[in-house]
């Protein structure tokens, strides 16, 4: 992919994040799958814009300020009067696995493509070199939002832009499985770099194993695939390449909240710097291994010192 991709954006939703500490108290931060990826990409030297909608409250102001401090572009954050962001709470067990509780039904991000400023936003996004979104993004925008999104992606790709997509399947966000399958099918046909998970595609389509999942994504015409396996590791498939890349060994997993998000950031950042798919996957594993040893979606910057040149 290389240095030709200069305008990069991640699209989706950021919410207020409450994390339950071991003593029962909570800390507050901000997180969301594509936002997490955008922050980690910025830290890795590939600063994307973040595309979302927020309210006009103090928490929305604080989100924008936090992203700007991280080097994430905020010029395409639409603001909606008298609205507030969604909220989620993370509870983590002693093995580092997490449980999420959400309050997001009236979040402005759900209306990203149907707001008064949406047509101008969509027109500008067509000029980007790379857009990144996830299955959660697809779900929250609904049918009306996807009716704007898919033609926009077609126009972007017609002029040489690329689309990266993380499957990130969350069944509770969809009205039914059939609607989700249609949306994912349409999205995969418009994807240049897919970051699917075996568990995602089993849950959504019933694909039995990695071979079936890979066949499905290949069948949609995706040229570059990084299939995240159930056991730590991934399979990289690109023209002339088919290789299993094991993950990094971690002595103690603290919190897996942003494991996939940071993996996507590591992979896309490396590819945008001109590294090959296999090397990019190794870099992605290194970054995810650091992230899962800390609590919360966005870990302290100083905890990433060892991988910031990766």
């Amino acid at each position: 992919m290389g240095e030709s991709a200069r305008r990069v954006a991640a699209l989706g939703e950021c919410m207020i994040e409450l994390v339950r500490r071991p003593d029962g108290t909570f800390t507050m931060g901000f997180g969301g799958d594509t936002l997490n990826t955008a922050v980690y990409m910025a830290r890795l030297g590939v600063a994307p814009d973040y595309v979302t909608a927020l309210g006009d409250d103090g928490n929305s102001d604080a989100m924008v300020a936090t992203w700007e401090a991280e080097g994430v572009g905020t010029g395409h954050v639409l603001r909606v009067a008298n609205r507030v962001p969604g909220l989620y709470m993370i509870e983590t067990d002693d093995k580092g696995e997490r449980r999420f509780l959400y309050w997001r039904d009236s979040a402005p991000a759900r209306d990203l493509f149907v707001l008064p400023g949406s047509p101008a936003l969509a027109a500008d996004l067509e000029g980007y070199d790379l857009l990144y979104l996830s299955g959660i993004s697809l779900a929250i925008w609904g049918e009306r939002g996807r009716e704007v999104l898919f033609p926009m992606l077609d126009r972007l790709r017609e002029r040489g832009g690329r689309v990266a997509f993380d499957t990130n399947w969350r069944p509770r966000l969809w009205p039914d499985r059939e609607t989700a399958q249609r949306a994912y099918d349409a999205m995969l046909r418009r994807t240049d770099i897919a970051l699917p998970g075996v568990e995602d595609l089993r849950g959504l389509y019933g694909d039995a194993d990695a071979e079936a999942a890979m066949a499905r994504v290949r069948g949609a015409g995706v040229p570059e695939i990084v299939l995240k396996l159930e056991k730590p590791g991934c399979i990289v498939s690109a023209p002339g390449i088919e290789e299993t890349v094991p993950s990094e060994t971690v002595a103690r997993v603290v919190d897996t909240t942003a494991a996939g998000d940071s993996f996507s950031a590591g992979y896309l950042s490396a590819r945008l710097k001109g590294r090959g798919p296999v090397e990019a996957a190794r870099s992605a594993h290194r970054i995810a291994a650091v992230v899962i040893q800390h609590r919360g979606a966005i870990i302290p910057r100083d905890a990433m010192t060892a991988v910031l040149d990766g």
Side-chain angles (χ1 to χ4, degrees), residues 10-96:
L11 291 69
E13 178 182 24
C14 180
M15 292 176 284
I16 299 166
E17 175 192 87
L18 296 179
V19 180
R20 187 189 295 274
R21 310 294 289 185
D23 64 1
T25 61
F26 290 88
T27 58
M28 191 184 90
F30 305 124
D33 64 337
T34 56
L35 183 277
N36 300 337
T37 298
V39 169
Y40 287 122
M41 287 181 74
R43 290 183 180 183
L44 292 166
V46 180
D49 292 330
Y50 194 60
V51 182
T52 192
L54 294 174
D56 59 354
D57 62 301
N59 283 319
S60 295
D61 293 340
M63 284 184 182
V64 171
T66 299
W67 306 342
E68 290 175 345
E70 289 281 0
V72 174
T74 59
H76 287 318
V77 177
L78 302 183
R79 304 295 293 267
V80 184
N82 303 314
R83 300 276 289 276
V84 297
L87 179 148
Y88 69 97
M89 183 170 68
I90 304 173
E91 296 179 328
T92 308
D93 65 21
D94 57 6
K95 295 181 181 177

Side-chain angles (χ1 to χ4, degrees), residues 283-303:
S283 177
H285 282 314
R286 286 195 298 272
I287 291 150
V290 171
V291 169
I292 64 176
Q293 295 180 71
H294 299 82
R295 291 194 182 278
I298 305 295
I299 69 172
R301 179 187 290 270
D302 59 12

Side-chain angles (χ1 to χ4, degrees), residues 1-8 46 129-130 272:
M1 187 155 45
E3 294 294 340
S4 61
R6 295 184 179 88
R7 297 188 77 196
V8 181
V46 180
D129 297 285
L130 178 71
L272 287 163

Side-chain angles (χ1 to χ4, degrees), residues 35 77-78 84 107 125 127 134 144 154-155 209 240-241 243 247:
L35 183 277
V77 177
L78 302 183
V84 297
L125 290 177
S134 75
R144 289 179 64 203
D154 290 339
R155 292 188 289 271
D209 53 24
I241 299 170
E243 186 168 333
S247 67

